[in-house]
Amino acid sequence: MDAGFTAEQDGIRRTLRELLRKRCGPEELRAALDTPAGHDPALWTALADQLGLPGLALPEAYGGIGCSTTELALAAEESGRTLAPSPLLATCVLAAPLILALGTDTQRAALLPRIADGTLTAALAVPGAALATGLALTGTGDGDWAGGGRAGGVQARRAGDGWRLYGQVDQVLDGHSAELLVVAAHTGGFARSRTLFFLVPDDAAGLVRVRQTALDATRPQARVQLRDVEAELLGAEDGDDVLGALSAVGDTAAAVLACEAVGAADHALERTVEYVKQREQFGRAIGSFQAVKHRLADVYVQVQAARSAAYYAAWATAHGERVGGLALAQALEALRGAAAEGIQLHGGIGFTWEHEAHLYFKRAAGDELLFGPVHRLRAHAADSAHLFEQGLEVAV
C-alpha cells in the first residue's frame, strides 16, 4: 500500500473542500435540511457538473470517471467535514454499485449514465430492523433480514411477464426523494424463498413514501410502502450471487462511511481547538489548561488512528481484503468522542440548538444506529476471522 496521495486525489480533496466551504456552510446546511428533499438539489447539480462526483467510481463506459473506492472515500471525507446532505451515500455508495454488479447490460446502459451525470438519484430499500444486517456488517447477510412468508418484509410474486411487490421498508436513506428504488424482496414462497433485487421508479402506482423524523436530520430517511407495485427484476433470476454482491457493497460502504466519519470528527476537533484558544477562564484561555490539552490530545490520537484505518479499508476494497467494518467501528468511536468532547468543552453554548456541535454528535449517534453499534461491528469482524475459534484451538 502506498500511503501517499496522487496529484489527482489531492485535487479531488482540495476542489471539493473549497466548493463545500462556499456552498454548504452552517446556514446553507440548516436551510437544506428544511426542504422537502432534505438536501440542496442545486448543490448536487454543482457537484455533478463541476466535479463529476456522482460518477467518480463508475466505469468510463457508463459515463463515469473510472476512479476507485479510494477516491470516492476521500470525497466522502470532505463531505463529512460539513455534514453535507446529498444523495452521495444512497445513490453512489449503496444503489449504483448494486446496479453495476447485478444489472443486465440494458439496465446498466439505461441507468448508470444518468446516475453518473447527476440526473438520476437512487436509494437502496433493504427490509429489516437494521441496514447493517442486510449489508453483512453486523451479521452473516444470509437474507433472513428481508422477511419472507409470515416474517413480513417485502414479497415478490410473478405477474405475467413481470413482478409485483408487496410490503414495507422502514429505513430507506433518501427514500422519500430518490427517483429510483432498488428494493430487496423475497420470492419463492415460505419454504423455498430467496432474495432478489427489483427496480421501482418513483412514480410507480401503489408506491407510498413518507419522510421520517430522524435523529440525524442530515441523513434523511423514509418509510416506503409497496402496495402491489409493478417492478423490474434487477439482473437475471438465475444470475449472480445476490447476497454476495450486497455483502461486497456493504464492505465498500463501510470504508466510505469510515472516511466520512473521520472527516466529521476532524472538523469537530478543529472547531473545539479554535474555541478553547479563545474562551477565557480565570484570566487565561482554557486551552492552556493541562487537563484540556490532555483531553484534546486523546481525541487527536483517536482521530488519526481512525483515519489510518479508514484509508487502509478504502485501499483494501480493491485488493480482496474486507476490513471495512473494523475501520467503520474505529471511525464511529472517534467521531463520538470528538463530538462529545466538543460539546463539553464548548460549555453552555455547545448545548444550544443554534450551535453546530450537536449536529456532529447526532451524526455519530445516528450512524451507530444505522450501521452499528460499534461493539457489534467488531464482534462480527472477529467472528468472520474466526479469532475465538483459533484461540480455543491454541488453548487445547
Side-chain angles (χ1 to χ4, degrees):
M1 175 185 177
D2 184 359
F5 293 119
T6 65
E8 182 181 22
Q9 290 170 340
D10 280 330
I12 292 172
R13 301 175 73 194
R14 181 176 58 257
T15 305
L16 183 55
R17 183 177 299 190
E18 292 174 355
L19 178 60
L20 291 177
R21 186 182 293 118
K22 295 177 182 178
R23 300 286 299 269
C24 194
E27 294 182 2
E28 291 83 0
L29 171 61
R30 292 176 185 274
L33 298 182
D34 292 334
T35 63
H39 67 268
D40 182 5
L43 174 61
W44 183 242
T45 301
L47 292 173
D49 293 343
Q50 298 181 29
L51 298 176
L53 185 60
L56 192 61
L58 289 176
E60 295 182 24
Y62 298 111
I65 298 178
C67 293
S68 66
T69 301
T70 302
E71 285 76 17
L72 184 60
L74 293 176
E77 181 181 1
E78 298 305 322
S79 175
R81 289 180 180 277
T82 58
L83 301 182
S86 75
L88 178 65
L89 175 60
T91 299
C92 306
V93 181
L94 296 177
L98 272 179
I99 297 174
L100 180 62
L102 300 176
T104 63
D105 292 339
T106 301
Q107 290 171 334
R108 293 172 184 169
L111 299 175
L112 293 179
R114 295 170 58 200
I115 290 178
D117 64 18
T119 58
L120 177 67
T121 57
L124 175 63
V126 176
L131 182 60
T133 305
L135 294 174
L137 296 176
T138 58
T140 58
D142 56 9
D144 290 343
W145 40 266
R150 300 177 182 176
V154 178
Q155 278 72 52
R157 63 176 178 84
R158 284 191 173 276
D161 295 333
W163 293 83
R164 312 287 293 193
L165 303 184
Y166 192 92
Q168 178 172 302
V169 187
D170 292 319
Q171 290 180 317
V172 183
L173 295 174
D174 290 341
H176 61 295
S177 61
E179 297 158 311
L180 177 70
L181 295 178
V182 182
V183 184
H186 260 277
T187 182
F190 180 75
R192 302 176 61 184
S193 64
R194 59 197 181 98
T195 303
L196 296 174
F197 282 95
F198 298 86
L199 302 175
V200 178
D202 61 343
D203 58 353
L207 177 65
V208 179
R209 307 185 295 173
V210 180
R211 183 178 177 180
Q212 302 295 94
T213 300
L215 172 64
D216 177 15
T218 66
R219 195 83 88 188
Q221 301 177 36
R223 173 182 291 123
V224 174
Q225 295 178 336
L226 302 122
R227 302 171 178 175
D228 199 29
V229 173
E230 184 177 356
E232 177 186 354
L233 178 65
L234 178 61
E237 188 174 352
D238 57 350
D240 297 323
D241 179 11
V242 172
L243 296 180
L246 183 60
S247 175
V249 169
D251 183 72
T252 300
V256 174
L257 283 164
C259 284
E260 185 188 66
V262 165
D266 193 47
H267 180 79
L269 177 59
E270 287 177 359
R271 289 299 305 271
T272 304
V273 171
E274 291 175 4
Y275 182 76
V276 298
K277 289 180 179 179
Q278 301 170 2
R279 180 186 171 192
E280 292 189 357
Q281 196 172 54
F282 306 114
R284 56 188 290 193
I286 65 172
S288 64
F289 297 152
Q290 190 174 37
V292 174
K293 291 181 180 179
H294 286 175
R295 290 169 67 172
L296 291 178
D298 289 342
V299 173
Y300 176 80
V301 171
Q302 198 172 27
V303 171
Q304 293 305 315
R307 174 176 280 114
S308 296
Y311 287 172
Y312 181 82
W315 173 85
T317 56
H319 296 80
E321 186 177 359
R322 295 192 175 187
V323 292
L326 276 177
L328 179 58
Q330 191 156 354
L332 290 179
E333 196 169 51
L335 176 55
R336 186 206 309 155
E341 289 288 2
I343 290 177
Q344 181 72 23
L345 293 176
H346 270 84
I349 193 175
F351 288 85
T352 61
W353 183 259
E354 292 75 16
H355 201 275
E356 65 176 355
H358 71 93
L359 295 176
Y360 288 84
F361 188 82
K362 289 176 179 177
R363 169 59 66 88
D367 275 6
E368 277 210 63
L369 290 173
L370 278 172
F371 304 106
V374 167
H375 70 273
R376 290 192 61 191
L377 287 167
R378 287 176 172 154
H380 178 61
D383 290 342
S384 300
H386 307 289
L387 292 183
F388 299 112
E389 295 179 14
Q390 292 175 5
L392 289 175
E393 291 174 4
V394 171
V396 173

